[in-house]
């Protein structure tokens, strides 16, 4: 009987095989190269010096954010730290923009140029485990890259031919702060948007799944479960049928897609037929079109379960706007990889790390509006997963602070390349159009609600 007191231990064999396969693919992967010149080599030389000068201040920013984590939409002190860092460089930042109290915006124009690029910074933390997704690193690299470009433009405006925008984007963890900002015009008049994310690998690109949330409430009729069960309509039956239906659907789901569900309410006591039951779900898919289709299937299962149990059903999609998959721009990704190679890092191509190791981010919503990239920067050992206490420790490590400099340079160099190289900019635009162009993100799921 003692053996039944504890859960069984998951077999690590599959995870070990995934890790071994990743190592083999990494050894075989071709180096990412760019056919475009980007900014002049002299511009990159100057940027490296500016990054080195700014690095200590950005380490201070990253450590301060890590020591004082704030969760989604209440990042008041974090936003103020960004504004103070910009003010120290003579840059006025606006806090409380694009519909969010803790969003930050600053911008400058260098030399003559038609293009605008945005560098994004996240700074919200997770409840209880703080910066276990490393947003302190995201913020420091984004702010540092912006400041490096600003210093460059102050001394040589022609080296930054266009406009650079810094957007501090709150509420990514479990929410979609960028979508709220988008609906308030944050990404209008932009030609590209870039940011990075800390990780256990250096990756130019990786799969990020689209995500929707769903709350399903079943309403039945209570009855005495022994004396008159036939007079009841069991809401828990419907929740159970829905949960089972999702399990049966999994065989027909795209392998990388995910549905996670919990029954948060299922009755009050066993002697009463449950009148109300509630199921909360996350629905994730690799493509926008398949996310629409999977959403439709899940809605059908909820309605079918209600019909079978004879209960009412209320389906509430997306308490916060959904996240879309990230659509990465290949010409920009290649410039990021080139910049990282200069720093002694090898940014691996898509497909080296298995796509089954996939999460979600609201940057996907940005990438369906403007060309963008969301590369990953190694700050931790490869076996350390995001959203763990171990990754929170890694996000404040010396290795992470050293990586801040590489990330600053990568973002600044990629932005400078995009602004300076007309051929690159045209390739970025063409790649974006070929992948589907601008999508009406706000109304993508209207037909299902």
């Amino acid at each position: 009987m003692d053996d039944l007191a504890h859960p069984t231990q998951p077999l690590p064999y599959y995870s070990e095989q995934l890790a071994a396969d990743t190592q083999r693919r990494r050894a075989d992967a071709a180096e990412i190269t760019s056919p475009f010149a980007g900014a002049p080599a002299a511009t990159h030389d100057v940027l490296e010096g500016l990054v080195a000068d700014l690095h200590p201040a950005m380490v201070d920013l990253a450590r301060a954010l890590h020591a004082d984590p704030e969760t989604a939409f209440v990042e008041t002190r974090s936003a103020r730290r960004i504004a103070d860092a910009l003010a120290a460089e003579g840059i006025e930042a606006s806090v409380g923009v694009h519909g969010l109290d803790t969003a930050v915006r600053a911008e400058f124009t260098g030399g003559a140029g038609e293009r605008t690029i945005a560098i994004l910074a996240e700074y919200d933390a997770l409840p209880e485990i703080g910066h276990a997704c490393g947003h302190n690193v995201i913020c420091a690299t984004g702010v540092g890259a912006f400041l490096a470009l600003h210093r460059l433009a102050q001394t040589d405006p022609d080296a930054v031919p266009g406009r650079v925008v810094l957007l501090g984007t709150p509420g990514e963890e479990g929410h979609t702060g960028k979508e709220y900002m988008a609906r308030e015009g944050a990404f209008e008049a932009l030609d590209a948007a870039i940011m990075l994310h800390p990780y256990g690998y250096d990756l130019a690109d990786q799969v990020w799944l689209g995500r929707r949330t769903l709350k399903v409430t079943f309403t039945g009729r209570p009855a005495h479960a022994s004396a008159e069960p036939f007079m009841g309509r069991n809401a828990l039956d419907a929740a159970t049928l829905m949960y089972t239906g999702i399990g049966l659907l999994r065989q027909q789901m795209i392998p990388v897609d995910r549905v996670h569900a919990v029954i948060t309410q299922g009755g009050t006591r066993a002697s009463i037929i449950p009148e109300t039951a509630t199921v909360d779900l996350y629905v994730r898919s690799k493509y926008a079109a398949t996310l629409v289709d999977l959403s439709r299937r899940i809605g059908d299962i909820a309605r079918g379960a209600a019909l079978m149990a004879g209960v009412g059903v209320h389906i509430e999609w997306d308490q916060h706007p959904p996240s879309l998959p990230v659509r990465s721009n290949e010409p920009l990704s290649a410039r990021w990889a080139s910049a990282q190679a200069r720093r002694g890092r090898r940014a691996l191509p898509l497909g080296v790390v298995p796509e089954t190791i996939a999460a979600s981010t609201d940057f996907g919503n940005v990438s369906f509006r403007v060309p963008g990239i969301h590369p990953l920067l190694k700050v931790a050992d490869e076996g350390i997963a995001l959203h763990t206490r171990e990754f929170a420790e890694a996000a404040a490590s010396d290795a992470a602070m050293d990586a801040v400099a590489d990330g600053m340079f990568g973002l600044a160099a990629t932005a400078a390349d995009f602004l300076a190289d007309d051929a690159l900019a045209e390739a970025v635009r063409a790649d974006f159009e070929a992948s589907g162009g601008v999508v009406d993100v706000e109304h993508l799921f209207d037909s299902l609600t």
Side-chain angles (χ1 to χ4, degrees):
M1 292 298 293
D2 289 343
D3 291 341
L4 300 180
H6 303 285
T8 61
Q9 293 297 315
L11 182 69
Y13 181 81
Y14 183 68
S15 295
E16 293 167 354
Q17 290 305 300
L18 286 180
D21 290 343
T22 297
Q23 296 306 318
R24 284 191 288 270
R25 285 191 294 269
R26 175 160 58 183
D28 295 338
E31 298 289 335
I32 300 174
T33 60
S34 170
F36 303 101
T43 297
H44 291 169
D45 292 341
V46 175
L47 280 174
E48 282 209 304
L50 294 171
V51 163
D53 290 342
L54 287 162
H55 182 231
M58 293 304 101
V59 167
D60 289 345
L61 176 59
R63 291 198 186 281
L65 292 171
H66 192 278
D68 185 21
E70 297 176 293
T71 55
F73 300 121
V74 293
E75 313 96 327
T76 306
R77 297 182 300 279
S78 302
R80 177 45 52 193
R81 285 189 170 100
I82 295 171
D84 289 346
L86 296 173
E89 295 283 317
I91 303 169
E92 182 178 355
S94 299
V95 179
V97 293
H98 302 303
L100 297 180
D101 291 341
T102 51
V104 181
R105 184 182 180 110
E107 59 184 82
F108 69 88
T109 300
E114 298 179 352
R115 291 185 288 275
T116 299
I117 190 166
I119 301 173
L120 275 54
E122 296 174 4
Y123 35 90
D124 61 320
L126 289 154
E128 298 181 4
I129 55 175
H131 278 287
C133 208
H135 291 193
N136 61 313
V137 173
I138 296 175
C139 184
T141 55
V143 173
F146 179 81
L147 291 177
L149 289 166
H150 181 262
R151 284 191 179 184
L152 176 61
Q154 293 294 101
T155 58
D156 184 5
D158 291 339
V160 189
R163 187 166 63 113
V164 182
V165 177
L166 175 70
L167 286 173
T169 61
E172 188 275 336
E173 293 294 356
H175 302 283
T176 41
K178 294 181 188 62
E179 179 60 24
Y180 286 119
M181 293 177 67
R183 296 179 185 184
E184 296 293 329
F187 302 100
E188 294 176 2
L190 297 181
D191 298 295
I194 60 176
M195 64 173 291
L196 63 76
H197 200 292
Y199 200 51
Y201 293 89
D202 281 308
L203 302 175
D205 191 10
Q206 175 65 355
V207 171
W208 293 84
L209 302 178
R211 182 199 68 202
R212 302 191 72 193
T213 58
L214 175 62
K215 181 177 182 178
V216 179
T217 302
F218 297 103
T219 303
R221 293 183 179 275
H224 194 292
S226 178
E228 291 187 315
F230 44 84
M231 294 303 294
R233 293 292 182 267
N234 194 321
L236 180 58
D237 284 354
T240 303
L241 288 165
M242 182 180 182
Y243 196 89
T244 302
I246 292 168
L248 295 173
L249 174 66
R250 294 184 195 281
Q251 187 181 40
Q252 285 79 48
M253 282 168 47
I254 296 171
V256 73
D257 286 0
R258 299 285 185 264
V259 178
H260 350 288
V262 291
I263 299 174
T264 57
Q265 182 182 5
T268 55
R269 54 188 299 150
S271 61
I272 303 172
I273 298 292
E275 182 179 13
T276 303
T278 304
V279 185
D280 284 349
L281 305 96
Y282 274 28
V283 179
R284 306 186 198 241
S285 193
K286 183 177 178 181
Y287 306 103
T290 56
L291 184 57
V292 171
D293 183 65
L294 184 57
S295 299
R296 183 179 294 109
R297 298 292 301 275
I298 296 298
D300 287 346
I301 289 172
R303 286 183 286 272
L307 184 63
M308 285 188 286
V311 302
V313 60
H314 176 69
I315 300 174
E316 181 184 357
W317 282 103
D318 304 317
Q319 180 183 3
H320 296 279
S323 299
L324 292 188
V326 171
R327 202 168 64 176
S328 189
N329 188 277
E330 290 189 12
L332 278 179
S333 288
R335 294 313 304 168
W336 164 267
S338 295
Q340 290 304 282
R342 179 174 176 135
R343 303 291 295 186
R345 290 176 178 260
R346 183 188 177 200
L348 298 170
L350 183 68
V352 172
V353 174
E355 65 178 15
T356 53
I357 304 174
S360 303
T361 170
D362 60 0
F363 184 79
N365 298 39
V366 179
S367 71
F368 278 76
R369 288 180 164 92
V370 297
I373 57 169
H374 190 269
L376 294 132
L377 181 72
K378 180 176 173 62
V379 304
D381 292 340
E382 294 169 0
I384 297 179
L386 297 174
H387 290 207
T388 62
R389 296 188 187 280
E390 292 77 12
F391 199 90
E393 293 176 4
S397 66
D398 290 342
M401 298 304 105
D402 290 342
V404 165
D406 297 334
M408 289 165 60
F409 177 76
L411 292 173
T414 301
D417 290 346
F418 177 74
L419 294 177
D421 190 334
D422 292 340
L424 170 63
E426 174 56 28
V428 167
R429 185 203 62 78
D431 183 87
F432 179 70
E433 294 299 331
S435 64
V438 177
V439 171
D440 184 4
V441 176
E442 183 175 353
H443 300 291
L444 184 62
F445 300 98
D446 283 359
S447 64
L448 304 178
T449 56

